[in-house]
């Protein structure tokens, strides 16, 4: 095959490692003599035709940076039939052969819609701190977000222990408890509350009292933002009513989305970026590139966004057993 024209974009919530993935895409395609166009601000860039040529030098010195140099957005217009048509027109007008979109559930759902309207090849990369895409063991940004959350938990542990206080640490995850579970397990948290499991405040309160009788003088409860209506603040209020204890609340929020990607995230992003390019050259389309059991895999979009990736129940049980 002759030279291909690639377009690449990042969309939805940014994730550390998106820049490393962009570099992987641009450099791999360039090394094989293909052309890459960067689309700015996610799907908005397709609606408004904000595209620029990207060569190897344009992705210098970004591997280690959080955020995404192409910028990103959440783009409701793209979800309309007119929006998808306009995006397809832009791709045709720029003679694009293959689009690589980096993002989470919403982004890959967008890919599926686009694939119905446009004849070119569409590939996705899993870019979200939430780790909630089926078919890949981890998503780009997840390891960095966990590392950031864990760093905060370790710091809170110092002051919790010094003052003999109880803390609730709210981490990101509206629909998924992956960040919460891993940060809780690695931080030795007393409790972990996740959206995948019903939250029983009375049972938590009982376990905390039991911990106190067993000699615990402080505690950390990790709460995924979507685990309980009202988040960690509401849990603190309920627990206060039951126990009379004060619960300090720390909401980590968007700091979990930024920062320099960990080595693990850089490795994943770089491998997946290059793999998506090679997959497109091999004629693949309609799939997300991922990594499962150490191997690079392609997962149909319908599975990646449609099937539910469950929490590792053994890990959840282990975190709870060890918090005695
Ligand atoms: O999907 C990534 C994520 O960071 C979620 O964990 C969080 O619930 C959401 O995005 C926040 O979105 P926004 O930055 O648009 O408020």
């Amino acid at each position: 095959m002759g030279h291909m024209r690639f377009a690449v974009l990042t969309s939805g919530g940014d994730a550390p490692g998106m820049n490393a993935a962009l570099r992987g895409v641009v450099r791999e395609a360039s090394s094989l003599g293909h052309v890459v166009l960067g689309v700015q601000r996610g799907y908005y860039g397709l609606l408004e035709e904000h595209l620029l040529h990207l060569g190897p030098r344009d992705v210098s010195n970004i591997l280690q940076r959080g955020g995404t140099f192409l910028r990103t957005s959440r783009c409701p217009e793209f979800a309309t039939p007119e929006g998808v048509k306009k995006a397809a027109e832009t791709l045709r007008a720029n003679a694009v052969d293959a689009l690589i979109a980096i993002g989470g559930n919403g982004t890959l759902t967008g890919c599926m819609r686009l694939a119905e309207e446009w004849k070119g090849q569409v590939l996705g990369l899993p870019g979200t701190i939430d780790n909630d895409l089926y078919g890949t063991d981890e998503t780009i940004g997840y390891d960095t977000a966990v590392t950031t959350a864990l760093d905060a938990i370790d710091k809170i542990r110092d002051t919790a222990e010094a003052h003999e206080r109880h803390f609730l640490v709210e981490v990101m995850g509206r629909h998924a408890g992956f960040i919460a579970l891993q940060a809780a397990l690695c931080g030795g948290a007393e409790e972990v509350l996740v959206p995948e499991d019903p939250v029983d405040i009375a049972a938590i309160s009982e376990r905390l009292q039991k911990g106190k009788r067993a000699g615990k003088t402080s505690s950390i409860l990790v709460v995924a933002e979507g685990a309980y209506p009202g988040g960690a603040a509401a849990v603190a209020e309920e627990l206060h009513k039951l126990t009379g204890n004060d619960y300090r609340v720390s909401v980590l929020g968007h700091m979990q989305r930024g920062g320099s990607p960990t080595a693990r995230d850089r490795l994943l992003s770089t491998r997946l970026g290059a793999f998506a390019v090679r997959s497109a050259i091999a004629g693949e389309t309609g799939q997300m590139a991922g990594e499962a059991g150490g191997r690079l895999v392609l997962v149909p979009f319908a599975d990646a966004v449609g099937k539910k990736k469950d929490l590792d129940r053994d890990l959840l049980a282990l975190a709870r057993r060890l918090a005695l």
Side-chain angles (χ1 to χ4, degrees), residues 10-22 62-72 102 129 140-141 144 254-261 269:
T10 49
S11 154
D14 60 327
M18 279 184 163
N19 275 324
L22 290 169
I62 62 166
L63 176 69
Q64 74 279 27
R65 302 222 173 107
T68 157
F69 89 100
L70 280 180
R71 310 285 172 88
T72 185
I102 310 171
I129 63 166
I140 291 167
T144 308
H254 286 79
M255 72 163 70
Q256 294 160 95
R257 288 243 292 263
S260 183
S269 308

Side-chain angles (χ1 to χ4, degrees), residues 62-241:
I62 62 166
L63 176 69
Q64 74 279 27
R65 302 222 173 107
T68 157
F69 89 100
L70 280 180
R71 310 285 172 88
T72 185
S73 64
R74 302 199 188 271
C75 179
E77 283 93 319
F78 179 70
T80 65
E82 302 76 51
V84 180
K85 277 202 176 75
K86 178 81 219 342
E89 271 165 34
T90 300
L91 290 166
R92 280 191 285 268
N94 286 275
V96 172
D97 299 298
L99 172 72
I100 299 177
I102 310 171
N105 208 288
T107 304
L108 301 187
T109 305
C111 285
M112 281 201 288
R113 293 212 186 96
L114 194 56
E116 288 164 16
E117 206 44 62
W118 178 57
K119 294 271 170 287
Q121 294 163 258
V122 191
L123 288 160
L125 292 188
T128 166
I129 63 166
D130 294 343
N131 196 28
D132 59 346
L133 290 170
Y134 182 90
T136 186
D137 290 342
E138 287 191 6
T139 54
I140 291 167
Y142 170 63
D143 186 59
T144 308
V146 168
T147 303
T148 301
L150 188 57
D151 182 51
I153 290 168
D154 288 347
K155 286 174 174 153
I156 288 169
R157 178 70 78 184
D158 290 344
T159 179
E161 199 166 283
H163 279 272
E164 305 188 321
R165 277 175 175 162
H166 306 287
F167 275 86
L168 291 152
V169 181
E170 184 180 298
V171 299
M172 274 189 162
R174 269 190 293 231
H175 308 291
F178 293 99
I179 297 176
L181 172 56
Q182 195 155 318
L185 183 82
C186 299
E190 273 58 36
E191 293 283 342
V192 52
L193 285 65
V194 292
E196 290 85 345
D197 259 5
V199 172
D200 183 344
I201 301 276
I204 293 172
S205 158
E206 258 170 47
R207 286 198 294 271
L208 290 173
Q209 306 293 337
K210 200 171 147 205
K212 198 173 167 192
R213 289 196 296 276
K216 288 199 184 220
T217 54
S218 63
S219 56
I220 293 185
L221 288 71
V222 176
V223 184
E225 60 178 325
Y228 196 76
V235 177
E237 228 179 278
E238 295 299 316
L239 283 173
H240 175 71
K241 277 190 219 150

Side-chain angles (χ1 to χ4, degrees), residues 236-297:
E237 228 179 278
E238 295 299 316
L239 283 173
H240 175 71
K241 277 190 219 150
L242 281 181
T243 63
N245 287 335
D246 279 335
Y247 289 86
R248 297 284 200 284
V249 177
S250 274
V251 179
L252 302 188
H254 286 79
M255 72 163 70
Q256 294 160 95
R257 288 243 292 263
S260 183
T262 58
R264 187 154 150 179
D265 265 329
R266 293 186 204 189
L267 186 65
L268 179 68
S269 308
T270 301
R271 287 183 83 197
L272 290 185
F275 179 54
V277 167
R278 289 192 172 271
S279 301
I281 294 167
E284 300 288 352
T285 185
Q287 298 166 94
M288 176 192 83
E291 196 190 279
R295 284 167 177 261
L296 298 172
V297 292

